[in-house]
Structures are given as structure tokens and as C-alpha cells.
Amino acid sequence: MAKDHGNSIKNDEQYEALRDQGMSKEKAARIANTKDSGAKGGKASKYEDRTKEELYKKAQEVGIDGRPKMNKEELIEALRNN
């Protein structure tokens, strides 16, 4: 049974599952608060298939610091580990 996190978490069940998998509170909250949280997806392109500009914009969306100095490979690593 998922805990109720109030209005701060849109999908409590998904948040708890992600936390149980060892994700940080911030990353779990970010995923659980996405528009289609909990919906089956898999339609996003691989990071390697995206341009550096696309990766930069995604990094900006999720708030990764230091992105202006990162190359494509560093952006990919930061997105995967954030």
C-alpha cells in the first residue's frame, strides 16, 4: 500500500516503488510527477540517438548543473545518473 504524500507527489504508488528500488527522493519524485506517470511508455529515443542540443534541453529540464561545459557523452551520463 502506497503512502499518501499529499499534493507534492502525483503518483504515490510509483514513488514508493522507485524509492524501494533505491532511487533518491528527488529522482523518484521527478519521475512520479511526470504528466504520464505510471503509464507504459518506452517510446523515447535512446540518448545516443539524440543530438547534443536535445540532450542539453533535457538536462536543463531536469536541473542538471554544469551542463554548459558537458560534451554529449557527459550529458548522457548525467541524465542517466540523475
Side-chain angles (χ1 to χ4, degrees):
M1 183 173 171
K3 298 176 184 175
D4 182 14
H5 295 91
N7 293 335
S8 64
I9 303 294
K10 292 180 183 176
N11 187 329
D12 289 317
E13 194 171 316
Q14 184 181 33
Y15 174 83
E16 287 299 323
L18 294 169
R19 290 289 291 142
D20 289 345
Q21 292 173 18
M23 283 191 191
S24 69
K25 290 179 182 179
E26 293 81 11
K27 186 171 184 179
R30 187 169 47 252
I31 293 169
N33 285 336
T34 58
K35 183 175 88 171
D36 296 325
S37 175
K40 296 291 181 188
K43 296 177 185 140
S45 61
K46 294 181 184 178
Y47 286 142
E48 290 80 7
D49 295 340
R50 298 182 194 187
T51 66
K52 182 180 175 187
E53 184 178 330
E54 290 170 324
L55 294 168
Y56 181 89
K57 287 180 182 178
K58 183 65 177 174
Q60 189 174 23
E61 286 175 22
V62 298
I64 294 174
D65 293 328
R67 61 187 177 273
K69 297 179 181 178
M70 292 182 184
N71 63 31
K72 183 175 178 176
E73 290 75 25
E74 291 168 328
L75 285 166
I76 291 170
E77 184 177 345
L79 287 164
R80 286 195 170 133
N81 294 314
N82 184 35

